[in-house]
Amino acid sequence: MKILFYLPAVTPWWFEHVIEPLIRRVAGEAEVHVLAPVPWNNTGLGPSDLARCADLPELHWAIVDDADHPSLRTVPKDRDGLIAYVRALAPDLVLCRSADFETPQAFPGTVRYVMEAVTAPFGPVSPANTVHFTDAPFVNGAMPALAPDAVARIDALIAPFWTDMDAHWQAAVYDRDSVFRHIGIPADRPAVLLPLEYEHAENFFLQHRPGALSNQALVAAIAAEAQTAGVTLVVTDHPLNKLHVERDTLLDFITDLDGTILVDEPVFDVPPTMALARHVDGVVLGDSKSFAIAAAFGTPMHRRSRFASAPWLHAEPDLAAFLAAIRAGRAERPECAAVQRWFGYHYANEAFYPTDPALTGAMVIDRAVRTLDSARWEAGVGRLRRFADPVREAA
């Protein structure tokens, strides 16, 4: 078997914690090729990354260092040449860390994207490098049609952990009045939450945001409509923005907006997005994994995205209609049973840790080529089982 890792959007953290562990596992099972550009905007592979794999001499490296290498992150200037190269290589499996979703579709073999898996609101029990393979990135709530017996099994597997999770957050997050009073959110009008996405030069996935808006432009657009609708907009920031992005201009801008409140610190020791998602009247989303928090808490959502959402999420695509429904108290909530089932499916069948000592190369390949395998379900949910008691104690 021949496997190609296509990595134009890989960051140093991703290579160390996700991609290199995957390469190590499959190197003993297949002929492994790695195709990536040289570093630019904290993406691509450099000498230190290759040195990490120096003990794997059987790897085949193709590092693109011509003047056009930055274009691999968006639309390759020599797209035809790139496709021809991969077709000549003829991999059986292509594992991509790429923000260009169209070009790899012309590659031969099975093409799968390596994407972050959802962890929240099970965050305290899930390692940061939890990932999954998908051929449809950013399709929220994607789940195949399952036979009745499979549905029953998944429902039974996730049920005790769902109970633990819900009990934990019921205890950890204060009631709405206390949370709103603590923050200063008006109690006499509806409130919607906008969790911002990571806005760093390395995040080329933002190129898919409709209108290619910056976070500041996005806040301005949402705030204007919320103000007109008589709805308070509450904004939280992505944790990585606080670590790696210069935010002063954005924060000053948000602070000066009428009817908009920035929550930048934990609320009673709970991360702000988690504390608020349970109590706001709606959540405004793009392609953030925060959709899972809103779904788990049954909070109505509006999604601005080029990608699909599962019907049972009831993600309203029209902002004005969403805000009007919020004002009228008739915004549709996600379907509780389907949400719980999706979390069960996601943990049982999709999410895994590349650094799991029990993970073998054969298992990695199987996950990539066989998208549904009930034989892995017990072990998949079993990864939660190790952390169930601490969550219960915290509650």
Side-chain angles (χ1 to χ4, degrees):
M1 186 177 199
K2 188 181 294 185
I3 300 176
L4 170 65
F5 285 84
Y6 177 60
L7 308 173
V10 72
T11 63
W13 188 95
W14 262 79
F15 189 77
E16 177 181 352
H17 296 279
V18 177
I19 301 300
E20 181 203 341
L22 293 178
I23 289 174
R24 287 190 173 278
R25 282 156 176 77
V26 302
E29 305 285 340
E31 177 183 319
V32 177
H33 295 252
V34 181
L35 172 58
V38 292
W40 180 69
N41 278 346
N42 207 41
T43 56
L45 297 183
S48 62
D49 301 304
L50 275 62
R52 296 184 66 87
C53 299
D55 61 320
L56 299 173
E58 66 273 24
L59 299 184
H60 302 268
W61 299 92
I63 305 300
V64 181
D65 62 358
D66 62 26
D68 292 335
H69 78 83
S71 72
L72 293 183
R73 282 78 171 184
T74 52
V75 179
K77 287 189 176 180
D78 186 14
R79 184 173 184 271
D80 291 343
L82 172 64
I83 293 170
Y85 173 84
V86 177
R87 286 180 175 172
L89 187 63
D92 301 290
L93 172 63
V94 183
L95 295 177
C96 304
R97 184 60 180 169
S98 171
D100 167 19
F101 298 147
E102 294 185 8
T103 301
Q105 294 306 309
F107 294 169
T110 299
V111 177
R112 306 280 279 159
Y113 297 89
V114 188
M115 304 296 288
E116 293 175 274
V118 162
T119 56
F122 291 89
V125 300
S126 300
N129 65 332
T130 307
V131 298
H132 69 125
F133 296 143
T134 180
D135 57 1
F138 297 132
V139 177
N140 288 354
M143 181 169 56
L146 299 170
D149 60 334
V151 168
R153 185 177 169 202
I154 285 177
D155 288 351
L157 284 170
I158 194 63
F161 307 106
W162 191 267
T163 300
D164 287 340
M165 178 276 294
D166 188 58
H168 170 78
W169 293 115
Q170 286 278 8
V173 179
Y174 285 41
D175 62 273
R176 175 178 167 124
D177 287 345
S178 297
V179 169
F180 277 30
R181 185 167 54 249
H182 176 77
I183 295 170
I185 300 173
D188 60 348
R189 54 192 274 169
V192 297
L193 173 65
L194 171 61
L196 297 178
E197 296 179 45
Y198 183 38
E199 191 174 49
H200 188 280
E202 72 182 30
N203 185 8
F204 289 95
F205 296 98
L206 286 180
Q207 67 185 297
H208 299 292
R209 177 181 281 176
L213 299 179
S214 66
N215 275 349
Q216 181 168 319
L218 179 65
V219 171
I222 303 298
E225 294 214 37
Q227 182 76 350
T228 299
V231 173
T232 299
L233 178 64
V234 185
V235 181
T236 58
D237 205 359
H238 194 287
L240 291 182
N241 284 336
K242 300 180 74 169
L243 291 175
H244 304 303
V245 177
E246 193 289 309
R247 306 185 304 146
D248 290 348
T249 300
L250 173 64
L251 299 188
D252 289 344
F253 174 78
I254 296 173
T255 301
D256 290 340
L257 283 175
D258 290 335
T260 300
I261 296 174
L262 172 70
V263 184
D264 207 36
E265 298 297 333
V267 181
F268 300 120
D269 296 322
V270 175
T273 300
M274 192 71 70
L276 286 159
R278 194 176 195 100
H279 294 314
V280 291
D281 301 281
V283 178
V284 176
L285 298 161
D287 294 324
S288 167
K289 299 196 310 305
S290 294
F291 87 90
I293 303 174
F297 294 158
T299 307
M301 62 188 81
H302 157 67
R303 189 180 184 200
R304 306 164 67 91
S305 177
R306 297 177 180 176
F307 304 99
S309 297
W312 42 265
L313 287 170
H314 297 301
E316 170 59 57
D318 182 87
L319 178 59
F322 178 70
L323 294 174
I326 291 290
R327 284 288 304 176
R330 54 176 174 78
E332 286 195 271
R333 298 180 180 276
E335 297 170 22
C336 181
V339 171
Q340 185 170 327
R341 185 169 302 136
W342 176 80
F343 270 97
Y345 164 78
H346 182 65
Y347 278 106
N349 191 78
E350 291 187 319
F352 71 100
Y353 316 146
T355 51
D356 187 338
L359 184 69
T360 66
M363 292 166 66
V364 172
I365 295 169
D366 182 71
R367 283 185 171 276
V369 300
R370 183 161 39 168
T371 56
L372 184 67
D373 180 9
S374 60
R376 70 174 72 118
W377 291 357
E378 294 283 349
V381 178
R383 297 184 187 94
L384 292 180
R385 186 167 290 117
R386 293 192 297 247
F387 299 90
D389 289 339
V391 173
R392 193 178 296 112
E393 290 168 6

